[in-house]
Structure formats: structure tokens, C-alpha cells
Amino acid sequence: APGCTAKMDTPNMQDPRQVEQITQVLQEACTQARHAVELNPNDHGAYAKWGEVLLELSMMKTGQEAVDTITQSIQKLEKSLEIYPDNANALVVHASALNARAFLQHDSAVAQELFDKSKANFQKALRLEPDNPRYKELLDAMEKAPELHAQVVAQLQAQGGVPGAKTGEDGDWIYDWIGWGILIVGGVTLIAVLNNQQAVVD
């Protein structure tokens, strides 16, 4: 895996010890990336690593903390791409972060804007690395992202909200472990869209 992240199995959300262990590893990786940026503010690779780890860390969070961590991930990845726009890995991780943010947004128009940005990232990454099959898979998966988002929103509305989800002040769906679980087990395509490990490992 690129950067300072490691390939890990999907954590058992019901095992607080496993979640705590993975969270600690990711927090340490964030600290390492932050130190690298402090040493060299123009280190696009360190910013990309930082954003990648933050995205993984967001999956260990709940509620507004998860949303805030995704937002921080997007900011770090945008900084990396501002310094070096042709980093294919950073483009893909940034796209994954945008998708995660989109699925937390109940407004379909706002979500679509994020999906469009994400798709453009995957397209550029594939142009930079045309022989990368994973990028092609992720780009293909984007075709179903709006439909999956609509299904999630419809399900939430039909049920009057589900256990683990509520609406935040800015219109976001705020998920706890149960809510994240509903999204993550929604299908292979949804996993590809949401789980950045699918995008950056191998």
C-alpha cells in the first residue's frame, strides 16, 4: 500500500478492542504525516498520506466526529493536489473522500456535485495510469453511486430515519456504527465507493 497506511481487514464494529487498536495505529500515522509536513510544507506526498489516513480514521468515528474527519481528509488531499496535481494515488483517495462525504449528505444535488468531482478524479487518475485496473473498476462503480445514494435516502425517509442516523445542522446524515454498517454492507459497488482501502491498496 502506498504511503504510511497498511492493509487491514475490515474492523469488527462490535469489538471495541479491535477498533481501539486500529484507531491508535491510524492516529500514530497521522502524527507521522503531520511531522513530515511541518518539516517540509511542500511535501505533497506527506499531505496525501495524511489525507489517506484521516479517511481511514473517519471509518472508526461516529456522528459529527466522522464528518469532521472526512472534511479534514479532503482538505489535506486538496493541499497535496494543489502542490502536485498529477499524483494519481492522491486523486483516487480524494475521490473516495468526496464519495464518503456525498453519502453523508441527504441533499441529492449536493451529493451529485461531489460525485461529479469524484468521477473527474478517477478519470484523471486513469489517464495518468491507463493500465491500472483498480482505477477502471472504481470509475465504473461511480456510474451507480447516485442511484445507491438515492436508495439510501429513500430508505431513511421511508423509515422515518433508521437506527444510527440523524440529520445534522447542515443537512448531513450523521451515522453511528449501525449507520456506517448499513452503508458498508450495501454491496460490492458501495464498498468500492465508500471504502478508500479498496482504492489505494495493491
Side-chain angles (χ1 to χ4, degrees):
C4 56
T5 58
K7 185 173 183 177
M8 292 181 282
D9 293 332
T10 301
N12 180 356
M13 294 179 180
Q14 303 302 321
D15 186 348
R17 291 176 300 178
Q18 184 178 3
V19 171
E20 182 179 358
Q21 290 173 352
I22 295 175
T23 299
Q24 183 176 355
V25 170
L26 293 173
Q27 288 175 336
E28 290 175 353
C30 281
T31 299
Q32 293 173 7
R34 183 174 64 251
H35 287 167
V37 167
E38 290 172 350
L39 291 172
N40 181 5
N42 292 317
D43 188 342
H44 68 87
Y47 275 112
K49 293 173 187 177
W50 197 353
E52 180 181 341
V53 176
L54 282 168
L55 183 55
E56 293 188 17
L57 187 60
S58 72
M59 301 304 171
M60 305 294 108
K61 305 285 187 180
T62 60
Q64 187 62 45
E65 193 175 7
V67 176
D68 292 343
T69 305
I70 292 172
T71 300
Q72 292 170 23
S73 169
I74 292 172
Q75 292 171 345
K76 299 300 182 291
L77 290 158
E78 288 178 346
K79 180 63 177 178
S80 173
L81 292 168
E82 178 184 324
I83 298 170
Y84 181 51
D86 292 337
N87 184 333
N89 178 66
L91 285 164
V92 168
V93 180
H94 184 236
S96 297
L98 292 172
N99 282 330
R101 190 69 180 81
F103 273 98
L104 290 176
Q105 170 60 245
H106 82 284
D107 187 320
S108 60
V110 176
Q112 186 61 56
E113 289 180 5
L114 293 167
F115 288 141
D116 289 344
K117 292 179 181 178
S118 176
K119 184 176 181 178
N121 273 16
F122 285 133
Q123 290 172 331
K124 182 174 181 179
L126 190 60
R127 288 197 300 270
L128 291 168
E129 297 185 15
D131 296 328
N132 191 314
R134 179 56 58 83
Y135 295 173
K136 180 65 165 60
E137 292 172 6
L138 290 166
L139 180 58
D140 290 342
M142 284 304 303
E143 297 302 320
K144 295 184 178 180
E147 178 184 351
L148 288 166
H149 177 269
Q151 290 175 1
V152 170
V153 173
Q155 181 181 4
L156 290 171
Q157 292 175 338
Q159 298 180 3
V162 298
K166 63 180 181 178
T167 304
E169 293 181 358
D170 57 354
D172 294 327
W173 294 116
I174 308 300
Y175 296 93
D176 62 11
W177 284 127
I178 298 175
W180 277 120
I182 290 170
L183 294 182
I184 293 172
V185 301
V188 175
T189 300
L190 188 52
I191 291 174
V193 171
L194 280 177
N195 188 344
N196 74 299
Q197 289 182 341
Q198 298 260 342
V200 300
V201 171
D202 297 336

